[in-house]
DNA sequence: TCGAACTTGGACCATTTGGTCAAACATGGA
DNA sequence: TCCATGTTTGACCAAATGGTCCAAGTTCGA
């Protein structure tokens, strides 16, 4: 603060579009995926509790709205209303719409990455693959909005997520590719293309969240239907493991 | 016009949200998918030609912008600029943003539905399935924006497309499910779940268009790369036909 | 050649919306 | 009890945006 003028200016109405790189924050969040974040379990006062509940409510409401309407389509007013607070209050917790969006993305990131992280080398590749399919499908059932949010972000060209994709995610991805390759080398798996296998499992499972409307229109069911969930899981697992050709 | 007042009022600024059902138009478009639309090949004047070219340019520009930014994120100004005309002129051709969006969707519908329509009963299910995968994958390579546009529409809950989904598309879908079932009954195919097989093929192939950023970030390639295209096609075909388990 | 019909875009307008501000309201510790 | 600190919101503001209007071209058939 050597310039005395800056003291009074106080940012003259958002000049130009700031770099606004919430991307950095997302990369950090992706790296600390397993640890569940800061624990801070010391005794909370009523106020702190209420505040935390509100913050959670805001993120939940924002996720719901963003996942349906997209970043541009969502209005702060709509999110605030869904969270049961005023728009001004919403902006008290998150300085801007994009910051809120980043916070939502950040929160979803761990859920998003968890299944692949748990995909580890084991005796039976078939079991590991089945487990991965199960985990991702459960994710599509229990948190379809998260899946949709990420799909939306990809469709935009992932301006905020790209650093995560080519950074932390690529690291995990490469590791899992190696795992699959090891299975193939050991003769435990047919000669498949490891990267494509992972893409395939993602595509197959996320489809049921992202294209849920279509699935519902054509099959008449959704994953929230227990029978349909089971049926889908077996169908996908069978497809990936054995394909469709008669044996 | 019994009320003299209405004469001067002249619709006081778009009253309430009209039904605005461009959905009807879409359903009709979906039904006439194969015929390539009205042919009208009578001699065209210079004017008509230019007009047609402009219309095409508009739809192309609109597709590009809508597919990236979504209905809400896209601005008429941006589309007009991409098409090289003024916003007012754009609105001369399409009465509203939503109407333009519907027109774009309508145009993409035939491309979108074509591969499945061509999926017919034949001697060898393996060939038919491989062909379907090839066609859908080619679609992802040659018209990724169309794929993304539809994905975007699904993620929104398909407000405009739902009638198409549960109408014409469901009809085609059911027919193809029957085809697959017949193969199974004839012992030409393993005991797969026909609806899920179709969903799977859609999911697998569209993934490479919709999640192209992610694929590029993780695999370093995209379908426009000939080698990667071939590799992807074999990988997906092999997966669907034979699965990953060693034989 | 001439005018009716088709095109085109600059100026405008109303509304929506992201964001700011200051004043009112809690609340919990001293 | 009292106030410093943290919350909450209604009133506002400026920019962006969908859409309208009208005047100025263009084209093409008669």
């Amino acid at each position: 603060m050597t310039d005395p003028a800056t003291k009074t200016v106080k940012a003259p109405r958002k000049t130009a579009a700031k770099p606004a790189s919430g991307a950095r924050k997302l990369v950090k969040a992706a790296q600390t995926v397993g640890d569940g974040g800061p624990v801070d379990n010391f005794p909370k006062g009523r106020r702190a509790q209420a505040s935390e509940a509100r913050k959670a409510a805001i993120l939940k409401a924002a996720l719901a709205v963003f996942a349906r309407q997209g970043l541009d389509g969502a209005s702060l007013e709509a999110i605030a209303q869904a969270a049961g607070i005023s728009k001004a209050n919403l902006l008290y917790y998150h300085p801007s719409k994009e910051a809120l969006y980043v916070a939502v993305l950040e929160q979803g990131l761990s859920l998003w990455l968890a299944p692949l992280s748990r995909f580890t080398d084991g005796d039976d590749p078939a079991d590991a693959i089945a487990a991965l399919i199960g985990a991702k499908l459960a994710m599509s059932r229990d948190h379809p909005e998260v899946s949709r949010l990420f799909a939306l972000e990809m469709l935009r060209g992932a301006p905020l997520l790209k650093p995560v994709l080519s950074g932390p995610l690529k690291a995990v991805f490469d590791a899992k590719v190696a795992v699959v390759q090891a299975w193939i080398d050991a003769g435990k798996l047919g000669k498949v293309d490891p990267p494509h296998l992972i893409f395939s499992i993602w595509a197959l499972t996320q489809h049921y969240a992202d294209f849920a409307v279509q699935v519902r229109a054509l099959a008449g069911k959704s994953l929230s239907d227990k029978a349909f969930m089971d049926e889908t899981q077996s169908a996908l697992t069978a497809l990936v493991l054995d394909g469709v050709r008669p044996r």
Side-chain angles (χ1 to χ4, degrees), chain A:
Chain A
M1 273 286 192
T2 43
D3 181 4
T6 55
K7 194 165 43 178
T8 47
V9 174
K10 211 187 200 178
R13 278 244 175 236
K14 172 95 60 162
T15 323
K18 288 183 294 187
S21 181
R24 203 178 307 281
K25 212 174 169 188
L26 282 171
V27 171
K28 222 169 86 185
Q31 288 166 338
T32 62
V33 59
D35 68 359
V39 186
D40 72 274
N41 262 344
F42 58 85
K44 301 175 190 76
R46 284 206 305 279
R47 192 176 202 164
Q49 271 184 1
S51 168
E52 223 161 288
R54 179 136 306 164
K55 279 178 192 169
I58 289 175
L59 286 178
K60 188 177 168 188
L63 172 61
V65 178
F66 278 138
R68 267 294 173 214
Q69 327 256 26
L71 174 54
D72 292 302
S75 76
L76 289 180
E77 186 61 51
I79 296 173
Q81 199 173 324
I85 60 179
S86 70
K87 189 181 65 168
N89 195 197
L90 176 60
L91 284 163
Y92 170 76
Y93 285 96
H94 298 273
S96 74
K97 187 182 179 179
E98 210 200 74
L100 172 58
Y101 183 74
V102 169
V104 173
L105 230 35
E106 189 182 335
Q107 188 196 227
L109 210 48
S110 53
L111 271 173
W112 179 252
L113 298 179
L116 189 64
S117 303
R118 286 199 300 268
F119 179 71
T120 52
D121 188 321
D123 296 342
D124 190 9
D127 287 348
I129 288 172
L132 176 56
I133 291 174
K136 282 292 289 182
L137 204 58
M139 158 90 203
S140 285
R141 177 196 53 197
D142 301 331
H143 306 281
E145 333 77 39
V146 173
S147 186
R148 289 191 200 113
L149 185 72
F150 279 83
L152 238 12
E153 184 61 16
M154 296 292 174
L155 288 166
R156 289 207 311 160
L160 290 170
L161 231 47
K162 219 178 286 180
V164 175
L165 298 182
S166 46
L169 182 57
K170 179 149 176 47
V172 178
F173 182 79
D174 287 343
K176 304 313 175 179
V177 164
V179 168
V180 174
Q181 187 59 56
W183 280 329
I184 298 172
D185 294 342
K188 292 181 183 173
L189 221 50
K191 290 201 172 83
V192 302
D193 183 309
H196 288 294
L197 173 60
I198 297 178
F199 290 150
S200 293
I201 293 175
W202 279 345
L204 289 172
T205 52
Q206 291 167 13
H207 185 80
Y208 289 85
D210 303 344
F211 283 64
V213 235
Q214 182 176 257
V215 170
R216 168 144 234 123
L218 298 180
K221 306 268 184 68
S222 70
L223 292 188
S224 56
D225 183 317
K226 175 91 169 75
F228 188 74
M229 171 73 185
D230 293 343
E231 166 193 324
T232 304
Q233 187 165 352
S234 342
L236 296 187
T237 306
L239 182 75
V240 172
L241 293 181
D242 299 315
V244 302
R245 232 198 278 271
R247 303 226 157 200

